[in-house]
């Protein structure tokens, strides 16, 4: 499959803008989006699964942002996604969350984003270099089982 056409890119970009506007997130003072990479910025890579088989999948390359805007880098960028393979190029910058399906019976009890919001507020308030944070344990940080900052391994 070839990459997205210009019309597809414009449609997806407009769709994302519309969705974020409908949710009240673009103009809300509590949200400060710097960048949004939708699937039109993705390209394919070949990775090896734990079992040794290979798989071709799409990734979101944060390096695009980091190269164009040097103020941003792994030290202050977090990629939140329900597919960990999407941050295969930025392994230490990703927070994996569960997919949300509003039509599933458990949707009303889904509170993961509330915990994630608490975590992100703590992360922002800490003003720490994100390279010093293990995003894999974010839920344990929220529950108080682990500290925000990785322990020194020396």
């Amino acid at each position: 499959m070839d990459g997205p056409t210009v019309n597809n890119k414009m449609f997806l970009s407009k769709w994302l803008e519309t969705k974020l506007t409908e949710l009240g997130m673009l103009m809300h003072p509590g949200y400060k989006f710097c960048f949004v990479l939708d699937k039109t910025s993705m390209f394919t890579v070949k990775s090896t699964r734990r079992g040794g088989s290979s798989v071709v999948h799409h990734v979101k390359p944060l390096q695009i942002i980091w190269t164009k805007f040097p103020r941003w880098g792994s030290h202050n960028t977090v990629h939140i996604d329900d597919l960990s393979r999407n941050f295969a190029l930025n392994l230490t910058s990703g927070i994996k969350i569960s997919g949300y399906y509003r039509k599933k019976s458990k949707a009303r009890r889904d509170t993961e984003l509330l915990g994630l919001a608490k975590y992100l507020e703590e992360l922002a308030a800490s003003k720490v270099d994100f390279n010093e944070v293990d995003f894999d344990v974010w839920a344990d940080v929220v529950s108080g089982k682990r500290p925000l900052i990785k322990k020194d391994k020396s």
Side-chain angles (χ1 to χ4, degrees):
M1 179 171 132
D2 292 332
T5 65
V6 171
N7 286 339
N8 284 344
K9 284 184 177 186
M10 288 189 310
F11 170 77
L12 290 170
S13 177
K14 188 64 179 165
W15 178 87
L16 184 59
E17 180 183 346
T18 300
K19 187 53 66 180
L20 290 173
T21 301
E22 284 175 8
L23 294 171
M25 297 173 79
L26 283 184
M27 301 306 289
H28 191 286
Y31 297 102
K32 294 181 175 82
F33 289 97
C34 299
F35 303 96
V36 175
L37 295 179
D38 65 9
K39 63 182 171 180
T40 62
S41 65
M42 297 173 76
F43 58 88
T44 57
V45 297
K46 186 176 185 177
S47 296
T48 304
R49 290 189 170 133
R50 289 185 189 124
S53 63
S54 57
V55 61
V56 175
H57 60 92
H58 287 83
V59 293
K60 291 183 181 174
L62 296 178
Q63 193 64 47
I64 290 172
I65 295 170
W66 300 341
T67 300
K68 286 185 162 249
F69 304 95
R71 174 179 176 220
W72 302 100
S74 61
H75 67 285
N76 64 0
T77 304
V78 63
H79 175 176
I80 302 166
D81 209 309
D82 65 334
L83 299 173
S84 56
R85 67 177 181 243
N86 285 348
F87 37 81
L89 296 179
N90 317 290
L91 293 174
T92 60
S93 296
I95 294 179
K96 171 123 174 23
I97 60 170
S98 303
Y100 177 77
Y101 304 97
R102 64 183 171 88
K103 293 186 179 185
K104 293 223 173 170
S105 62
K106 293 189 259 181
R108 288 182 179 255
R109 296 186 307 269
D110 185 347
T111 60
E112 184 177 36
L113 291 181
L114 295 174
L116 181 62
K118 181 178 176 183
Y119 177 79
L120 293 173
E121 287 173 356
E122 183 178 342
L123 182 65
S126 74
K127 297 187 178 7
V128 67
D129 180 330
F130 291 3
N131 294 311
E132 300 300 318
V133 177
D134 182 358
F135 292 133
D136 290 340
V137 297
W138 73 267
D140 288 342
V141 172
V142 171
S143 68
K145 294 178 185 171
R146 292 187 182 233
L148 178 66
I149 310 298
K150 289 188 244 186
K151 298 236 189 232
D152 186 37
K153 296 182 179 173
S154 54

